[in-house]
Structure formats: C-alpha cells, structure tokens
Amino acid sequence: MWLLFTGTFSLHELLIGIIAAVLASAGMVVVTIFYQTPFSPGASDLLALWRLPWYLLSDTWVVFTVAAKDLLGTEPADSLFRVVPFQAGRTKNPGMTARRALATLYSTVAPNSIVLGVNTQDQKLLFHQIKRTSVPKMTEQLGAEA
C-alpha cells in the first residue's frame, strides 16, 4: 500500500514504508493483546453485504440530487439524526458484537447515512442522514427495526 501511496521505489521511501509497516504491526499486536474484543459473525450477517452495491448507487444518487437542489437553492438538505430500535444484545456476546460492528460498517459505507453509535443499554441505533430514507434492508437484517 505504501508503494501505491508514494508511487516510487526510492530507497528513502522504501525505508520509511518498512518502518511504518513495522510500527503498524506492533500497534496491532498491542491492541490485540490488551483490548480483546470477541467477534464472531454468523454467515447470514456476513452475507448481508450483497445488498451494499445497490445502496452505494442509490445513496450516491440521493446525495447528488440533494446537493444539486441545495446548490441551486430550490430545496435545502434535510440533514437529520435518527434513532431506531436495534437488537444490540449484550456487550460481551461475540455474535452480537459482530452484528453491531457489521451494521455500523455496512450502513456507514453507503453515502446517505453515517452510524454514530449503537446503544446496548437502550437497544438503539443512532445515525445521521442527509435525506430521510427508509432504514436499509441490510441494517434491518442485522437487527434494526424500520
């Protein structure tokens, strides 16, 4: 990745890349040892990813049209926070930890929504949308309610 980033095979760039890779690897080892998070996704949780290409396209279109209308002054962007019920489970459950992480990842990749957090105590999912749309089916599959 460093070579793609720099676009050169200069000796000093290669040395900096090696140092960065060693430091990043050491950091990963430290985090893995001291901050273990049980993560055990189910197959259906991972397969919810198949819906993502559609959400990438449709949400890109939504964001583009909202931006165009906002720039033209015809309709301002909504930009709203939403809270929906979410079956978050217990904090120490590896399967539920995976579902929370995957719901956050899958939903945030789509341009119209950014998941800000999952509250395990209240069983809620907080996210931001530029324009209000329905809760994505992949997020529903992972525990959100419409």
Side-chain angles (χ1 to χ4, degrees):
M1 292 307 294
W2 184 260
L3 293 175
L4 290 175
F5 178 70
T6 60
T8 181
F9 286 98
S10 301
L11 180 61
H12 70 281
E13 293 289 353
L14 293 174
L15 290 174
I16 291 172
I18 290 169
I19 292 169
V22 168
L23 290 175
S25 299
M28 281 184 55
V29 168
V30 168
V31 168
T32 302
I33 290 172
F34 292 108
Y35 301 102
Q36 293 181 357
T37 302
F39 185 83
S40 179
S44 64
D45 299 338
L46 293 173
L47 291 176
L49 181 66
W50 78 270
R51 296 179 190 268
L52 192 58
W54 167 250
Y55 286 116
L56 286 171
L57 290 174
S58 63
D59 278 9
T60 299
W61 179 252
V62 167
V63 170
F64 178 74
T65 55
V66 167
K69 289 177 182 178
D70 195 41
L71 286 172
L72 294 173
T74 59
E75 183 181 331
D78 292 337
S79 188
L80 49 103
F81 291 100
R82 294 186 58 195
V83 177
V84 294
F86 186 81
Q87 298 169 8
R90 294 189 341 253
T91 306
K92 300 291 182 184
N93 183 330
M96 296 311 287
T97 299
R99 291 185 89 182
R100 290 190 302 271
L102 292 175
T104 301
L105 174 69
Y106 293 168
S107 301
T108 302
V109 167
N112 188 37
S113 62
I114 297 174
V115 174
L116 301 171
V118 178
N119 187 327
T120 56
Q121 186 176 6
D122 295 334
Q123 303 289 302
K124 303 283 185 190
L125 175 82
L126 170 65
F127 63 103
H128 177 268
Q129 285 187 317
I130 294 172
K131 180 176 180 165
R132 185 181 181 98
T133 58
S134 62
V135 176
K137 292 288 184 196
M138 64 184 170
T139 310
E140 286 182 17
Q141 184 179 342
L142 291 168
E145 296 176 21

